[in-house]
């Protein structure tokens, strides 16, 4: 959950999000080093007399400033491709959850169980209980087990939507007529919030997502009480 004046990412709750945060820090450090080097060179050029002008035509300098950027790009590309393939990897899921985007709410269906489906609308501000978050709370939360591979099937009934939960590192477009797939696996229980991240109309800002991740035992108890 984000807090006011937060500058970084939300705390990671899944292995994929942890990898994304590591990659962000890795890339940011490279950008910081490049920016520092460029600033240092510019300051030298402005404050130092250029007594060795022949250096600018040296083959060694041209070789260095050609090879060095290529090496830096490789250092960024290799971890990026690794995470990309990790995000696309589909393991054998323990549970499948289908979500459909509507204007302006989400509907969910647990495809492994008969007749377990519901709509999830934003809770109006006047109906919030103490401690609930404005514009982020819903009338029906999605309950899922922790430490299990969950397959998300995401689509839309009308216009483009985007099913996004930052703490889990998931952002998948909901496209009419197309079924997109994503994989979830959380490492700890908790309540995780997200929102539609694709401008989908007048009430785009009022399509929150709330996932309640619980241990398997509590998930089974919730199933028994729901079915």
């Amino acid at each position: 959950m984000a807090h006011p004046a937060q500058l970084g990412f939300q705390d990671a709750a899944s292995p994929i999000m942890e990898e994304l945060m590591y990659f962000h820090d890795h890339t940011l450090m490279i950008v910081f080093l490049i920016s520092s080097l460029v600033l240092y060179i510019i300051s030298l050029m402005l404050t130092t007399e250029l007594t060795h002008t022949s250096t600018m035509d040296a083959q060694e300098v041209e070789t260095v400033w050609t090879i060095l950027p290529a090496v830096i790009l490789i250092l960024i590309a290799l971890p990026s491709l690794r995470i990309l393939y990790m995000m696309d990897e589909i393991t054998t899921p323990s549970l499948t959850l289908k979500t459909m985007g509507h204007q302006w709410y989400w509907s969910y269906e647990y495809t492994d169980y008969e007749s377990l489906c519901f709509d999830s609308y934003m809770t109006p501000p006047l109906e919030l209980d103490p401690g609930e978050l404005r514009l982020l709370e819903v009338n029906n939360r999605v309950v899922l087990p922790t430490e299990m591979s969950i397959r998300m099937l995401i689509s839309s009934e009308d216009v483009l939507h985007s099913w996004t939960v930052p703490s889990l590192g998931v952002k998948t477009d909901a496209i009419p007529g197309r079924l997109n797939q994503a994989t979830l696996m959380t490492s700890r229980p908790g309540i995780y919030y997200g929102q539609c991240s694709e401008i989908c109309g007048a009430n785009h800002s009022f399509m929150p997502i709330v996932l309640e991740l619980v241990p398997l035992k509590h998930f089974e108890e919730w199933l028994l009480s729901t079915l």
Side-chain angles (χ1 to χ4, degrees):
M1 179 65 206
H3 56 77
Q6 179 174 342
L7 297 179
F9 290 108
Q10 299 181 22
D11 292 338
S14 68
I16 291 296
M17 189 58 193
E18 291 177 2
E19 293 289 339
L20 289 172
M21 293 180 69
Y22 292 148
F23 176 67
H24 169 267
D25 296 340
H26 167 75
T27 308
L28 198 63
M29 184 55 64
I30 293 177
V31 172
F32 174 76
L33 293 175
I34 293 174
S35 302
S36 301
L37 178 61
V38 171
L39 183 62
Y40 174 69
I41 294 175
I42 291 176
S43 63
L44 283 182
M45 292 180 65
L46 294 176
T47 58
T48 307
E49 294 183 2
L50 299 177
T51 56
H52 300 284
T53 55
S54 60
T55 306
M56 303 304 295
D57 297 325
Q59 291 290 334
E60 292 80 4
V61 175
E62 293 184 7
T63 302
V64 169
W65 72 39
T66 301
I67 294 178
L68 190 59
V71 173
I72 293 174
L73 289 176
I74 292 174
L75 292 176
I76 295 175
L78 290 181
S80 174
L81 290 173
R82 172 177 170 268
I83 297 176
L84 187 63
Y85 279 101
M86 288 176 61
M87 294 175 68
D88 285 340
E89 183 179 359
I90 303 298
T91 58
T92 303
S94 304
L95 180 70
T96 299
L97 177 65
K98 180 181 178 182
T99 176
M100 298 290 292
H102 307 265
Q103 289 182 310
W104 289 270
Y105 64 96
W106 298 98
S107 61
Y108 298 95
E109 178 184 352
Y110 292 76
T111 60
D112 299 292
Y113 305 93
E114 294 183 3
S115 68
L116 182 51
C117 55
F118 53 84
D119 296 331
S120 181
Y121 291 85
M122 185 194 75
T123 303
L126 296 178
E127 299 179 11
L128 291 173
D129 295 328
E132 292 185 339
L133 300 171
R134 178 179 173 270
L135 303 183
L136 286 178
E137 197 56 63
V138 296
N139 61 340
N140 289 313
R141 292 178 174 177
V142 177
V143 181
L144 295 172
T146 59
E147 299 181 348
M148 295 181 66
S149 179
I150 301 167
R151 175 171 56 192
M152 294 293 306
L153 300 177
I154 302 166
S155 186
S156 172
E157 285 279 359
D158 36 50
V159 299
L160 290 176
H161 300 279
S162 185
W163 199 84
T164 305
V165 183
S167 294
L168 303 181
V170 176
K171 183 181 186 297
T172 305
D173 287 341
I175 303 173
R178 177 170 178 172
L179 201 61
N180 287 331
Q181 182 170 278
T183 302
L184 296 180
M185 188 172 68
T186 55
S187 53
R188 64 175 185 270
I191 299 175
Y192 302 100
Y193 295 88
Q195 289 178 302
C196 176
S197 297
E198 187 75 41
I199 297 178
C200 56
N203 292 331
H204 157 69
S205 302
F206 310 117
M207 290 184 63
I209 301 163
V210 182
L211 302 184
E212 187 172 343
L213 280 303
V214 298
L216 180 60
K217 178 181 177 181
H218 298 291
F219 176 72
E220 292 174 344
E221 293 174 354
W222 176 80
L223 281 178
L224 293 175
S225 64
T226 305
L227 295 175

